[in-house]
Amino acid sequence: MNVLVIEDNESVCSMIEMFFSKEQINGEYVHDGIQGFNRYKEGQWDLLIIDWMLPGMDGVAICRKIREEGDSIPIIMLTAKDSESDQVLGLEMGADDYVTKPFSPLALMARIKAITRRLKGSSQEKAEKGLLETQFFKISKEKREVYLNGEAVTNLTPKEFELLYYFAQHPKQVFTREQLLDRVWGYQFYGDERTVDVHIKRLRKKIGTDNQPFFHTVWGVGYKFDETFQASED
């Protein structure tokens, strides 16, 4: 597995490199945003780990440019920014996940291992059409296409698509945040439930309405996908 790490803190890079060596992951480390983006374009990568605050070009700008080019490569953002608005911005720009500094290397490795499992299963997934139709949605897993009431939905990030697809496969079934982290993100819970909350909020805003949010909070438990008309929930 080839991973490009764009991070200006050399001590963080050294820590990541130590764990990469134990897991036999090939890592390359760049400490400047512009140089990192150029290196991304030159190489063949399975995963990008990008720091938010970088000299030259910040991580959000790098992420946005990559998604604008149509590349769905998995991206994990490293950030010292802990507010929900900052997390929303990073995810909106196309990051699949974020890790808040200071972070546990084990938590980061769990996310990387989850992506590794997805990559190993990608050839099988590509062979499956994965066409799913509900009352309001038509979703093609193979083409990564979503239609709502016959209209194309084109502004979903890769992780938002996966979360919608999983929920649509299990209508009205209630899932805890831990279950969603495990089944959609692919790793065991490491204390960052807000990843789920932020994605749900973004999906409600992008495809829901006040009377039809699709994603409903089950207080004290988690979330469910329900296409019946109900009041919007935060």
Side-chain angles (χ1 to χ4, degrees):
M1 185 179 193
N2 295 316
V3 180
L4 176 63
V5 180
I6 309 176
E7 164 64 68
D8 63 334
N9 189 318
E10 294 189 15
S11 63
V12 172
C13 290
S14 297
M15 177 185 65
I16 294 173
E17 185 176 17
M18 179 180 66
F19 277 83
F20 276 12
S21 63
K22 293 180 180 179
E23 300 293 337
Q24 297 183 325
I25 295 174
N26 298 318
E28 185 169 331
Y29 307 88
V30 182
H31 308 303
D32 175 85
I34 295 175
Q35 293 175 11
F37 181 73
N38 291 336
R39 187 68 190 99
Y40 145 76
K41 298 188 74 173
E42 294 169 353
Q44 297 292 324
W45 312 103
D46 299 308
L47 169 70
L48 304 179
I49 298 176
I50 307 175
D51 186 32
W52 183 298
M53 301 296 292
L54 290 165
M57 181 190 302
D58 65 52
V60 173
I62 295 172
C63 190
R64 182 178 63 248
K65 287 173 69 68
I66 290 171
R67 295 305 186 220
E68 285 174 350
E69 294 185 359
D71 193 343
S72 60
I73 184 172
I75 298 174
I76 296 175
M77 294 284 293
L78 302 179
T79 175
K81 295 177 177 288
D82 196 32
S83 72
E84 184 176 285
S85 61
D86 289 324
Q87 294 159 9
V88 167
L89 177 60
L91 295 169
E92 179 68 13
M93 290 301 101
D96 295 282
D97 202 355
Y98 62 87
V99 179
T100 303
K101 295 179 179 179
F103 60 86
S104 162
L106 293 176
L108 177 61
M109 291 307 305
R111 287 155 167 80
I112 293 171
K113 288 180 179 180
I115 290 173
T116 302
R117 290 195 294 269
R118 289 210 310 271
L119 290 172
K120 287 182 179 179
S122 63
S123 58
Q124 181 178 351
E125 289 180 1
K126 288 177 182 178
E128 299 173 356
K129 295 198 178 208
L131 184 62
L132 179 65
E133 293 190 42
T134 70
Q135 182 179 354
F136 294 100
F137 291 91
K138 180 181 288 187
I139 307 172
S140 171
K141 189 174 183 180
E142 181 184 42
K143 296 180 180 179
R144 310 286 290 190
E145 293 177 344
V146 177
Y147 290 88
L148 172 59
N149 291 323
E151 297 290 329
V153 179
T154 60
N155 62 342
L156 300 185
T157 67
K159 191 57 66 181
E160 288 168 354
F161 175 91
E162 293 170 17
L163 188 60
L164 171 61
Y165 188 87
Y166 184 78
F167 267 113
Q169 286 180 301
H170 305 89
K172 299 185 179 181
Q173 184 172 340
V174 180
F175 295 100
T176 66
R177 293 170 178 81
E178 292 90 338
Q179 287 174 323
L180 293 169
L181 285 168
D182 182 52
R183 298 174 190 180
V184 179
W185 277 257
Y187 54 80
Q188 296 296 326
F189 178 58
Y190 274 83
D192 205 354
E193 288 184 344
R194 287 177 301 178
T195 296
V196 175
D197 297 334
V198 168
H199 279 78
I200 294 291
K201 180 174 287 189
R202 296 307 305 171
L203 279 169
R204 284 174 175 164
K205 183 176 292 187
K206 289 181 178 181
I207 64 177
T209 64
D210 289 342
N211 293 324
Q212 184 62 287
F214 296 116
F215 298 91
H216 302 276
T217 302
V218 180
W219 298 108
V221 184
Y223 297 101
K224 68 177 180 179
F225 177 81
D226 191 343
E227 294 180 277
T228 57
F229 285 84
Q230 298 182 31
S232 181
E233 304 157 359
D234 293 324

